[in-house]
């Protein structure tokens, strides 16, 4: 396995810097420790969270067509592969020369690579442990092979539009002229449905959000008391994004890595943005990053799109 950006090294400095900011914030990539990755899988099963289901159905229905678009002798590079469940549909239809999953969670990456190796003995897997939002190097790709980036799950929604543009531009450079990108985008829809997807009645998303404090307590010697924070999620219509926060219920002091941070009652720590696009908005963004939109596959009832872009 290629180990690129030892993600743990940055956790401490990012959290300390984020807690010192006004308003406080911690980047959402830190949700995905072992327990966080499992909680995210549980979110994907919730009736209120349609993204994964709808995207999987799209992949099921159209994987042959997608594979035909992507072409032959493809090096498939997957950003944030997680459990790679959706990728299986694509892998089976595409039979790429190499599958290169990149993930921030090393446990998830190892488990997934092992499972895929058993399931697909014909598949060459080159796993990369890295934070895909940071600069990282692609292990050498055979000459003549076509590079296609796969970025499912609407994870690009975690970037604000300017970061998303920069990210797409770097992906366009990575795959090179003639390379491609297959990307899943969660689309704008009614406010109520959007909010419920991030504030489910079972409280799984709340646990996922609060797990960030569990992780800080464990890895950075924090003393957050979970009962003193609550999960808050809402759709910010003006900015076209769902926001998640951890709100302090009381006035309190918290220690992390030997430093103290004060929270006033009601103070919110921002933990995630999840931007929603229209297909047109997103394709325009992709164009400004150097991609040409080539194909769209749209879901009906719960708006979601898989787009094929060419560099
Ligand atoms: C993995 C970033 C696509 O924004 O919908 C799910 C993460 N956060 N519920 C999303 C998430 C809360 C998810 N992404």
């Amino acid at each position: 396995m290629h180990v690129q950006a030892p993600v743990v090294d940055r956790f401490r400095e990012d959290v300390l810097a984020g807690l010192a900011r006004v308003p406080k914030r911690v980047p959402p990539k830190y949700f995905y420790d072992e327990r966080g990755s499992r909680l995210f899988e549980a979110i994907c099963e919730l009736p209120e969270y349609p993204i994964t289901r709808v995207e999987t159905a799209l992949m099921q229905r159209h994987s042959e067509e997608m594979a035909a678009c992507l072409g032959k002798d493809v090096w498939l590079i997957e950003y944030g592969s997680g459990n790679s469940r959706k990728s299986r549909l694509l892998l089976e239809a595409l039979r790429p020369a190499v599958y290169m999953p990149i993930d921030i969670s090393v446990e998830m990456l190892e488990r997934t690579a092992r499972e895929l190796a058993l399931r697909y003995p014909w598949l060459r897997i080159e796993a990369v442990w890295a934070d895909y939002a940071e600069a990282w190097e692609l292990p050498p790709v055979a000459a003549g092979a076509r590079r296609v980036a796969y970025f499912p799950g609407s994870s690009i929604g975690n970037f604000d539009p300017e970061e998303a543009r920069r990210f797409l531009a770097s992906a366009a450079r990575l795959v090179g002229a003639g390379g491609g990108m297959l990307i899943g985008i969660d689309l704008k829809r009614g406010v109520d449905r959007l909010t419920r997807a991030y504030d489910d009645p079972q409280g799984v998303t709340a646990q996922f959000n609060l797990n960030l404090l569990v992780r800080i307590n464990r890895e950075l010697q924090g003393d957050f008391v979970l009962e003193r924070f609550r999960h808050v999620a809402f759709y910010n219509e003006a900015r076209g994004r769902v926001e998640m926060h951890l709100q302090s219920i009381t006035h309190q002091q918290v220690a992390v890595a030997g430093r103290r941070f004060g929270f006033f009652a009601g103070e919110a720590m921002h933990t995630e943005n999840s931007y929603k696009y229209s297909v047109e908005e997103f394709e325009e963004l992709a164009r400004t990053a150097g991609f040409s939109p080539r194909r769209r596959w749209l879901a009906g009832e719960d708006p979601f799109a898989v787009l094929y872009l060419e560099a």
Side-chain angles (χ1 to χ4, degrees), residues 2 36 38 44 63 74 76 86 97-98 100 102 145 155 160 168 178 189 197 219 241-242 274 310:
H2 303 272
R38 285 181 190 283
C44 294
S63 59
V74 167
L76 189 70
K86 278 169 296 221
V98 174
M100 210 175 267
I102 312 163
S155 297
D160 65 39
L168 288 169
R189 72 192 100 113
E219 294 182 22
R241 68 190 194 199
V242 177
S274 192
E310 227 159 61

Side-chain angles (χ1 to χ4, degrees), residues 11 14-15 18-19 21-32 40 43 155 157-160 163 198-199 204-216 224 229-234 241-248 263 267-275:
F11 185 47
D14 283 353
V15 168
L19 285 171
R21 289 173 64 130
V22 184
K24 294 180 173 62
R25 70 171 198 205
V26 176
K29 64 186 174 190
Y30 294 120
F31 283 137
Y32 303 93
F40 178 65
I43 288 174
S155 297
N158 275 167
F159 295 131
D160 65 39
E163 286 169 344
Y198 293 83
D199 198 7
V204 182
T205 309
Q207 278 191 62
F208 173 72
N209 198 4
L210 285 159
N211 183 55
L212 203 49
L213 304 183
V214 178
R215 181 174 185 185
I216 293 173
F224 281 101
F229 287 85
R230 71 183 189 97
H231 163 71
V232 176
F234 58 87
R241 68 190 194 199
V242 177
E243 297 184 12
M244 294 207 320
H245 300 264
L246 288 167
Q247 188 181 37
S248 177
F263 284 83
E267 181 173 351
M269 176 161 77
H270 196 166
T271 52
E272 184 169 47
N273 287 323
S274 192
Y275 280 84

